């Protein structure tokens, strides 16, 4: 670590990974309900399990983003975070809010709006935590060096906070409610979160490849322009069937098609920078996660999103397992893998050890990615069958669900492997650290050279 306040990120990453494990465990329980419908029916009904699964996902990803910001902003701004005490207070607020929400859900205390089920006091806590965070990082950047990475990161993080305010607006008109609801749910994940993703990825690329900052920054601004152009009006693909004017079918179809572009640009960016790079960085696991992020995001968010984003196709597929296939792979590729890449990169320096358990970490990458891809293919096939039987043939919903049982068993199997790989990742990060120095850093006697660089460099 170059700056003492970067240590803040350690606790954010720890809390994030704890919630990550909770998320995938509850996801596996929800998958079990699909094949054994009465499983946990009295203790935790399916709607509660799904609520915890999706809310834990959002909160742990945000904790990862906040931790990433607290780690990279001191290096980019070339100064310590303004107030570490405020940063820890923010973490306590978020953790207490998350625990309070989960306990409340189990007792049926929630607001019922999908993804925004948090009780009012939790929403207020989130806003307070966001204000603390924005003050802390914005003042740090304003008083330090300004870079394209910090500019884009702050734009994304301010956007996250501002668009969350729509979570407090719940009009009685259902069509209007859904319209503003998507301001949070869509513009977060397909707008401002993409800016956070691009900036963190750019930071990792600079550190892992050694490519000149000027080259990375040009790519970064191009990706951000594409993300905002396509993502904001791409919200229209959620407006097709909720009672909004028909022109949204054209706007949504055109701009949703363009949403493939920023993800494809990120793939080109990451691989070209590694190809151009001169540095043989010792942290191979972080590089693997960093390269995997844009690839899986391109397929999950880009290709699978495009598959059912055009209005004439979406008319048949919306709300089927095709949507679930797209959602799982898109979130995993764009944001889960990004956070795991940043954690893999930062934790060796936070723990002050050489890159550790890299083989286990890389096995985690391949197992988790393979399991998520298998889950996506399974849900895609289930969705195609469901669309034909239910929307084309007119078969009753529950009869169709019986026909999909095999796919749901396969989805559950892949979910179990995701849980196993998540636990493997946590062990690789926090388990016993064995010094692992690249072969070329060793002396002829096989001992580590005294001049071996820090893995954070």
């Amino acid at each position: 670590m170059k700056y003492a306040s970067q240590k803040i990120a350690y606790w954010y990453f720890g809390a994030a990974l704890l919630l990550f494990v909770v998320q995938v465990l509850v996801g596996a329980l929800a998958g079990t309900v699909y094949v054994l419908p009465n499983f946990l029916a009295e203790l935790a009904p399916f709607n509660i399990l799904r609520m915890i699964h999706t809310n834990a996902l959002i909160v742990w990803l945000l904790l990862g983003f906040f931790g990433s910001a607290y780690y990279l902003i001191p290096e980019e701004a070339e100064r310590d975070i303004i107030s570490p005490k405020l940063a820890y207070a923010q973490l306590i607020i978020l953790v207490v809010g998350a625990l309070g929400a989960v306990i409340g859900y189990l007792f049926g205390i929630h607001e019922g709006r999908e993804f925004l089920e948090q009780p009012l006091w939790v929403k207020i806590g989130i806003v307070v935590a966001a204000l603390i965070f924005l003050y802390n990082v914005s003042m740090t950047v304003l008083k330090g060096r300004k870079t394209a990475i910090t500019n884009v990161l702050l734009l994304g993080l301010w956007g996250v906070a501002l668009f969350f305010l729509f979570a407090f607006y719940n009009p009685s008109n259902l069509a209007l409610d859904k319209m503003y609801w998507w301001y949070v749910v869509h513009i977060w994940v397909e707008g401002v979160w993409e800016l956070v993703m691009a900036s963190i990825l750019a930071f990792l690329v600079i550190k892992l490849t050694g490519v000149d900052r000027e080259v990375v920054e040009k790519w970064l601004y191009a990706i951000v322009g594409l993300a905002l152009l396509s993502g904001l009006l791409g919200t229209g693909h959620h407006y097709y069937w909720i009672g909004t004017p028909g022109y949204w079918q054209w706007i949504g179809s055109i701009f949703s098609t363009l949403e493939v572009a920023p993800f494809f640009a990120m793939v080109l960016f990451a691989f070209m920078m590694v190809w151009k790079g001169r540095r043989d960085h010792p942290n191979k696991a972080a590089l693997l996660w960093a390269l995997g992020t844009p690839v899986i995001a391109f397929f999950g968010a880009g290709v699978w999103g495009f598959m059912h984003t055009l209005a004439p196709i979406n008319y048949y597929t919306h709300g089927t397992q095709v949507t679930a296939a797209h959602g799982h792979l898109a979130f995993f590729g764009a944001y889960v893998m990004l956070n795991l890449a940043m954690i893999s990169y930062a934790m060796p320096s936070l723990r002050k050890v050489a890159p550790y358990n890299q083989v286990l970490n890389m096995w985690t990458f391949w197992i988790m990615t393979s399991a998520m891809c298998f889950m996506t293919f399974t849900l895609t096939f289930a969705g195609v069958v469901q669309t034909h039987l239910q929307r084309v043939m007119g078969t009753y919903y529950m009869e169709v669900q019986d026909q999909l049982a095999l796919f749901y068993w396969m989805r559950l199997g892949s979910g179990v492997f995701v849980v196993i790989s998540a636990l493997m990742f946590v062990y690789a990060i926090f388990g016993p650290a064995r010094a692992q120095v690249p072969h070329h850093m060793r002396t002829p006697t096989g001992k580590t050279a005294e001049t071996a660089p820090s893995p954070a460099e």
Side-chain angles (χ1 to χ4, degrees):
M1 287 190 306
K2 293 182 179 179
Y3 298 91
S5 61
Q6 288 178 284
K7 186 72 175 176
I8 298 165
Y10 180 90
W11 300 103
Y12 274 84
F13 290 152
L17 287 177
L18 180 63
L19 264 179
F20 176 42
V21 172
V22 170
Q23 184 229 330
V24 294
L25 279 171
V26 175
L29 292 176
T32 306
V33 175
Y34 264 88
V35 294
L36 302 170
N38 291 321
F39 181 69
L40 294 180
E42 298 296 324
L43 186 64
F46 178 79
N47 69 308
I48 301 299
L49 291 175
R50 185 179 185 277
M51 214 177 282
I52 296 171
H53 180 58
T54 53
N55 280 243
L57 168 72
I58 293 164
V59 175
W60 94 255
L61 291 178
L62 287 173
L63 285 171
F65 292 163
F66 294 150
S68 299
Y70 281 129
Y71 185 86
L72 72 86
I73 282 177
E75 286 198 30
E76 290 292 303
E78 295 183 338
R79 58 160 297 132
D80 273 308
I81 293 292
I82 291 288
S83 174
K85 288 182 181 177
L86 279 177
Y88 289 122
Q90 175 204 344
L91 178 60
I92 291 168
I93 291 170
L94 288 169
V95 170
V96 169
L99 290 174
V102 169
I103 293 168
Y105 297 160
L106 290 171
F107 286 96
I109 303 169
H110 56 81
E111 292 198 353
R113 297 173 82 201
E114 189 182 2
F115 299 121
L116 303 178
E117 297 95 346
Q118 308 86 18
L120 181 63
W121 70 270
V122 174
K123 286 192 173 83
I124 293 170
I126 291 170
V127 171
V128 171
L131 289 173
I132 291 171
F133 173 74
L134 291 172
Y135 167 78
N136 226 352
V137 295
S138 299
M139 293 304 294
T140 304
V141 171
L142 287 172
K143 292 187 177 185
R145 180 180 70 156
K146 286 85 175 170
T147 68
I149 289 173
T150 53
N151 291 344
V152 172
L153 184 61
L154 283 182
L155 179 62
L157 293 168
W158 272 93
V160 168
L162 290 172
F163 281 104
F164 182 73
L165 295 177
F166 286 98
F168 291 92
Y169 182 51
N170 188 5
S172 57
N173 182 302
L174 189 59
L176 204 58
D177 165 37
K178 279 297 179 187
M179 191 164 180
Y180 286 109
W181 181 81
W182 284 113
Y183 276 26
V184 184
V185 178
H186 171 98
I187 293 178
W188 260 24
V189 300
E190 295 176 60
V192 292
W193 278 27
E194 284 186 30
L195 308 191
V196 176
M197 175 190 179
S199 57
I200 294 174
L201 197 59
F203 174 80
L204 287 171
V205 163
I206 289 173
K207 295 297 180 182
L208 292 168
T209 69
V211 171
D212 291 339
R213 181 177 289 272
E214 291 77 13
V215 177
V216 171
E217 289 181 347
K218 287 174 185 174
W219 274 91
L220 181 58
Y221 282 126
I223 290 167
V224 166
L226 286 170
L228 289 177
L229 170 71
S230 61
L232 295 177
L233 284 172
T235 312
H237 66 231
H238 301 294
Y239 292 170
Y240 294 159
W241 325 118
I242 65 169
T244 51
Y247 56 72
W248 280 110
Q249 294 179 24
W250 284 97
I251 295 172
S253 296
I254 292 167
F255 285 92
S256 295
T257 302
L258 295 176
E259 284 192 69
V260 179
F263 289 105
F264 185 63
M266 282 191 216
V267 176
L268 294 178
F269 161 66
F271 280 85
M272 282 185 68
M273 295 304 102
V274 170
W275 178 67
K276 282 174 173 275
R278 305 174 303 278
R279 183 176 300 172
D280 184 14
H281 199 279
N283 199 333
K284 297 291 183 287
L287 184 60
L288 183 62
W289 283 106
L291 282 176
T293 297
V295 174
I296 303 301
F298 168 67
F299 283 104
V303 177
W304 255 255
F306 175 72
M307 275 168 52
H308 70 141
T309 199
L310 300 177
I313 297 170
N314 190 265
Y315 179 78
Y316 293 96
T317 60
H318 75 281
T320 66
Q321 296 300 323
V322 174
T323 304
H326 159 59
H328 278 82
L329 197 63
F331 262 107
F332 175 69
Y335 305 119
V336 172
M337 293 179 78
L338 178 74
N339 271 340
L340 300 186
M342 190 65 191
I343 291 168
S344 295
Y345 170 75
M347 286 303 282
S349 59
L350 291 171
R351 290 184 64 190
K352 298 180 180 176
V353 294
Y356 46 86
N357 296 334
Q358 288 217 61
V359 174
L360 182 62
N361 195 336
M362 288 190 277
W363 268 108
T364 298
F365 170 89
W366 290 113
I367 294 170
M368 193 181 296
T369 305
S370 300
M372 287 304 302
C373 289
F374 183 82
M375 184 185 296
T376 302
F377 289 132
T378 299
L379 289 172
T380 303
F381 289 128
V384 171
V385 172
Q386 182 183 10
T387 300
H388 182 72
L389 292 178
Q390 190 177 316
R391 302 280 165 82
V392 179
M393 302 293 290
T395 309
Y396 288 118
Y397 176 82
M398 291 309 295
E399 289 182 30
V400 175
Q401 293 302 304
D402 287 339
Q403 301 295 317
L404 303 180
L406 176 62
F407 296 110
Y408 292 152
W409 277 108
M410 291 194 288
R411 191 258 298 270
L412 177 58
S414 59
V416 170
F417 277 96
V418 171
V419 172
I420 293 168
S421 56
L423 294 172
M424 287 168 58
F425 184 87
V426 171
Y427 182 81
I429 295 297
F430 291 106
R434 297 176 299 166
Q436 293 182 352
V437 181
H439 185 72
H440 71 275
M441 294 293 183
R442 297 179 184 275
T443 61
T445 61
K447 294 182 179 179
T448 302
E450 294 296 324
T451 56
S454 162
E457 294 297 305

